[in-house]
Amino acid sequence: MAGFVQIIEYRTSKPDEITALMEEFRAKREAENEGPAPVRGLTCADRDQAGRYFAIIEFNSYEEAMENSRRPDTTEFSERMMELCDGPGTFYNLDQVAEMNYR
């Protein structure tokens, strides 16, 4: 498996603003169609801890994820997102080792 996943765990009292920021970033990146981009992104809210969220971002490879992370627009997005968070986020970098699909 060559897949790679980045997870950002964060807390916020402004989830709608973060969702809007993520959509703005996605639309801009898609319109530019330049350089590496995520394959898929999910945002999840923790049902057991109000205000805790996870952004799960999938890439084709670790190399593409790192190239994406070095982009100035990614840095700007990350800084803007962290301004909307209630404290620092926690970042996880994960190599995909297996995939199971269910119907």
Side-chain angles (χ1 to χ4, degrees):
M1 295 253 125
F4 185 78
V5 177
Q6 290 183 321
I7 297 176
I8 306 167
E9 176 184 357
Y10 61 97
R11 294 184 178 276
T12 187
S13 54
K14 302 173 184 175
D16 293 338
E17 291 179 51
I18 289 181
T19 298
L21 178 65
M22 287 180 172
E23 177 54 32
E24 174 189 318
F25 179 74
R26 185 206 58 78
K28 183 179 176 198
R29 181 63 68 84
E30 196 171 83
E32 291 174 352
N33 195 26
E34 171 186 311
V39 172
R40 184 169 93 135
L42 299 169
T43 300
C44 303
D46 189 330
R47 293 179 72 94
D48 300 321
Q49 293 186 39
R52 185 167 104 161
Y53 297 86
F54 294 85
I56 304 165
I57 314 300
E58 297 178 17
F59 292 89
N60 285 322
S61 68
Y62 169 80
E63 292 76 20
E64 284 189 16
M66 294 303 102
E67 188 176 339
N68 177 72
S69 292
R70 289 188 294 270
R71 289 176 56 116
D73 61 338
T74 301
T75 300
E76 178 187 349
F77 164 77
S78 180
E79 290 170 353
R80 289 176 62 194
M81 181 180 168
M82 290 301 114
E83 288 172 3
L84 297 170
C85 289
D86 303 333
T90 302
F91 294 78
Y92 303 92
N93 291 310
L94 308 168
D95 290 318
Q96 182 180 343
V97 296
E99 178 177 327
M100 288 177 267
N101 293 301
Y102 298 86
R103 14 179 197 136

